[in-house]
């Protein structure tokens, strides 16, 4: 392996809980209670595709104007929630893992579905670690489509097969595999399928252990 591509939400920072919270409010407006099992299917999925799923689960039919309004409300709510994000909110071990990658001259990329990725990296104070940032503003196809990771590999000038992806969502692991990349899951093998290795966080699995998959 010669490069690492990180997903953002749920891998570098626990913003997955804020997406869930914001979607729950929209679901409630559709008289629908969004469960954590259903939320698993929203992880890694773009804002638009997530709302399509929620509307379908709610069994509702809404007009395009209402759809746009819900997208806007969800994002406003989410932006309020992420105002609180600070460097201390990087998930355990993330900072030292990034430092170790940099020290070992491993190219680092971001492959996120989120259109809010850059401000979140800035709030965490880790933007400068990234040699390439591909986010929801750069792609037309949502994970599990491989576009975001293929663009990441290209931006890092690395072959897809030489990239290792860190992901917390099934859509993201499927996207990595579709891009011919190996994925390490941040989460459990009971929920996430198809990764080559599973970690709970970067603290419990220090660079030395993960280096075997990278160098
Ligand atoms: C992904 C999240 O990283 O980004 C999804 O896992 C989210 O839950 C998607 O829907 C899009 O995010 P945003 O910030 O553009 O609404
Ligand atoms: Mg994620």
């Amino acid at each position: 392996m010669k490069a690492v591509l990180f997903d953002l939400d749920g891998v570098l920072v626990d913003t997955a809980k804020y997406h869930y919270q914001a979607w729950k409010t929209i679901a409630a407006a559709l008289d629908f209670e969004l469960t954590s099992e259903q939320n698993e299917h929203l992880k890694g999925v773009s804002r638009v595709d997530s709302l399509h799923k929620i509307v379908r689960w709610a069994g509702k039919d809404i007009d395009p104007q209402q759809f746009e309004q819900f997208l806007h409300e969800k994002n406003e709510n989410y932006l309020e929630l992420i105002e609180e994000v600070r460097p201390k909110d990087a998930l355990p071990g993330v900072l030292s893992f990034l430092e170790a990658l940099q020290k070992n001259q491993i190219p680092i990329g971001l492959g996120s579905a989120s259109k809010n990725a850059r401000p979140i990296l800035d709030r965490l104070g880790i933007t400068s670690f990234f040699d390439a940032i591909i986010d929801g503003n750069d792609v037309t196809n949502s994970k599990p489509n491989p576009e975001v990771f293929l663009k990441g590999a290209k931006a890092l000038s690395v072959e897809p097969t030489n990239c290792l992806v860190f992901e917390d969502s099934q859509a993201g692991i499927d996207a990595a595999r579709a891009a011919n990349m190996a994925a390490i899951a941040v989460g459990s093998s009971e929920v996430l399928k198809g990764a080559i290795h599973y970690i709970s966080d970067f603290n419990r699995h220090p660079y030395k252990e993960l280096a075997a998959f990278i160098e």
Side-chain angles (χ1 to χ4, degrees), residues 7-10 15-16 19-20 23 39 42-48 50 71 74-75 78-79 82 111-117 120 136-137 142-143 167-169:
D7 173 47
L8 173 69
D9 297 313
T15 36
H19 281 296
Y20 183 31
W23 281 131
N39 186 54
L42 301 182
K43 288 185 180 173
V45 174
S46 72
R47 202 180 307 163
V48 168
S50 297
L71 285 180
K74 188 272 172 179
N75 198 47
Y78 180 69
L79 289 176
I82 61 169
S112 168
S114 175
K115 295 187 171 177
N116 298 302
I120 292 175
N137 300 295
S142 192
K143 297 173 187 175
E167 259 294 349
D168 73 317
S169 72

Side-chain angles (χ1 to χ4, degrees), residues 55-191:
V55 170
R56 198 171 64 237
W57 291 331
K60 291 271 160 52
D61 200 10
I62 61 173
D63 62 39
Q65 203 185 336
Q66 179 72 75
F67 193 91
E68 280 307 314
Q69 180 60 27
F70 278 141
L71 285 180
H72 177 74
E73 275 173 33
K74 188 272 172 179
N75 198 47
E76 288 296 301
N77 191 348
Y78 180 69
L79 289 176
E80 246 172 64
L81 294 168
I82 61 169
E83 286 242 330
E84 301 306 318
V85 172
R86 299 283 179 276
K88 64 166 179 43
D89 295 314
L91 283 169
V94 161
L95 190 61
S96 42
F97 189 57
L98 289 171
E99 283 168 353
L101 288 170
Q102 197 171 57
K103 194 166 146 230
N104 287 280
Q105 298 182 335
I106 308 289
I108 304 172
L110 190 88
S112 168
S114 175
K115 295 187 171 177
N116 298 302
R118 281 178 184 270
I120 292 175
L121 290 180
D122 287 345
R123 286 188 171 283
L124 292 170
I126 57 174
T127 306
S128 63
F129 283 102
F130 289 84
D131 303 298
I133 296 174
I134 308 293
D135 65 20
N137 300 295
D138 304 309
V139 294
T140 40
N141 301 296
S142 192
K143 297 173 187 175
N145 186 290
E147 184 182 359
V148 70
F149 293 133
L150 290 174
K151 284 197 165 154
K154 199 165 178 205
L156 293 173
S157 307
V158 174
E159 286 299 317
T161 48
N162 285 335
C163 291
L164 177 68
V165 171
F166 285 89
E167 259 294 349
D168 73 317
S169 72
Q170 191 59 54
I173 293 171
D174 294 344
R177 291 180 55 153
N180 270 319
M181 300 175 184
I184 291 188
V186 181
S188 115
S189 58
E190 274 153 39
V191 181

